[in-house]
Amino acid sequence: YYKLAFPDDAASYAVINAFIVGLCGVTSGLIGGYAADKTAVIAEQAGLEKSTGRLVVPIVGSLLAVPAWWMTVHASDFDSAMIWLAVEYLVAECWFGPTVAVLQSEVGERQGGTAQGLFTLTGAIGNLAPSILGILYGQQTGADVNSSLVLSGLLGNGVCAGYLFSAVCFIVSALQNDSDEEAFSLKQ
């Protein structure tokens, strides 16, 4: 996309993107893990399950990623696009640590391998999204169409919808954690 939208900055993009992925992605992961530990304590103090507190981090990260990504692919200049891309990495990549922590704490010992396999499978399915967007892009472009506008529209709508869907999945999981705890306490 960036090569189409900002052809004069194609060489700079590779270096800047590597810096953004390396610095912002790692920082987001570390801060996400730290924040998940803190929100787990806060949730427990509020009478909720720790996993519910941990899931607040990827919920908020996914929701904040929507406007950050939208601004990335709708930026009017390369520098703004890269700033928004950095912001998007900072807010969006915080999900991994809290998700693995919840997976490890909520899944029984005998189902750990299966749960980890399913977790990996969902990532593989998510990796199909670029291929699907590529097919849609190929179907919508023609000689009289501005391909960077088509691509920014597809990326904006597709990726933002993915972030919203992720937030909904994390919300459902967080709500499920608390309803399981309530059901367990009712049985006793």
Side-chain angles (χ1 to χ4, degrees), residues 47-68:
L48 301 171
E49 199 169 314
K50 284 183 175 182
S51 292
T52 299
R54 285 186 178 108
L55 289 170
V56 167
V57 174
I59 291 167
V60 171
S62 294
L63 292 174
L64 290 175
V66 172

Side-chain angles (χ1 to χ4, degrees), residues 76-96:
S76 59
D77 61 83
F78 180 74
D79 292 339
S80 296
M82 293 300 98
I83 289 168
W84 282 112
L85 184 62
V87 170
E88 185 266 344
Y89 265 90
L90 282 171
V91 298
E93 296 301 317
C94 65
W95 68 273
F96 193 77

Side-chain angles (χ1 to χ4, degrees), residues 61-63 65-66 69 88 92-93 158-168:
S62 294
L63 292 174
V66 172
W69 180 258
E88 185 266 344
E93 296 301 317
V159 174
C160 290
Y163 282 134
L164 286 173
F165 181 69
S166 294
V168 168

Side-chain angles (χ1 to χ4, degrees), residues 113-139:
T114 302
Q116 188 63 44
L118 289 171
F119 175 70
T120 303
L121 178 62
T122 60
I125 292 169
N127 286 332
L128 290 175
S131 297
I132 293 167
L133 289 174
I135 291 167
L136 292 172
Y137 173 70
Q139 292 173 347

